């Protein structure tokens, strides 16, 4: 499965962005999906995961209440709605697919998108 992330860009502090991640195959619907980010000079960080059915979501404490993960299996797409953005949210954001749920570690994910850059200005 190939993933294409989009929706990144430059936003001011307090603003919102919605990231999208489109999958190349219908088998997307059988995978649990997750979002990670990597800020300059830092390790890649888990943000959120969603079950293959969309019936359950799981969040890192750092984004709980501000970010929302969702999916549309008919469109082979997973989303990350990001609200109340802060400068420390500046990073490259990655989507990925896993067989397990909730998967929070990078080795749990079988395939990854190329990343989309989010920059939050102060």
């Amino acid at each position: 499965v190939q993933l294409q992330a989009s929706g990144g860009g430059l936003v001011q502090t307090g603003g919102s962005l919605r990231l999208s991640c489109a999958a190349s195959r219908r088998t997307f619907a059988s995978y649990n999906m997750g979002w990670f980010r990597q800020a300059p000079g830092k390790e890649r960080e888990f943000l959120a995961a969603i079950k293959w059915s969309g019936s359950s979501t799981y969040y890192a404490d750092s984004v709980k209440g501000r970010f929302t993960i969702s999916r549309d299996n008919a469109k082979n797409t997973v989303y990350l709605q990001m609200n109340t953005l802060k400068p420390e949210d500046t990073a490259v954001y990655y989507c990925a697919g896993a067989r397990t749920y909730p998967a929070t570690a990078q080795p749990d994910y079988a395939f990854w998108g190329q990343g989309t850059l989010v920059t939050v200005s102060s």
Side-chain angles (χ1 to χ4, degrees):
V1 178
Q2 291 184 328
L3 301 175
Q4 180 73 40
S6 61
L10 177 64
V11 63
Q12 292 185 337
T13 296
S16 298
L17 277 177
R18 189 177 80 156
L19 305 182
S20 299
C21 176
S24 60
R25 296 185 183 178
R26 292 182 181 180
T27 51
F28 162 85
S30 65
Y31 285 93
N32 307 298
M33 297 299 294
W35 285 96
F36 287 72
R37 69 184 176 190
Q38 188 166 19
K42 295 188 176 181
E43 294 186 353
R44 195 169 294 189
E45 172 191 15
F46 166 79
L47 299 177
I50 187 166
K51 201 170 183 179
W52 64 271
S53 60
S55 61
S56 181
T57 57
Y58 184 84
Y59 296 93
D61 287 343
S62 58
V63 302
K64 195 176 297 182
R66 295 193 301 126
F67 291 9
T68 302
I69 189 171
S70 61
R71 67 190 297 162
D72 185 340
N73 286 343
K75 295 182 178 180
N76 291 346
T77 302
V78 62
Y79 305 97
L80 187 67
Q81 176 68 43
M82 306 186 295
N83 298 327
T84 319
L85 285 163
K86 309 173 184 179
E88 51 264 43
D89 294 317
T90 295
V92 177
Y93 285 70
Y94 299 89
C95 56
R99 285 296 191 185
T100 58
Y101 175 83
T104 62
Q106 294 182 60
D108 294 333
Y109 286 81
F111 49 90
W112 293 79
Q114 86 290 358
T116 185
L117 176 63
V118 172
T119 303
V120 184
S121 63
S122 58

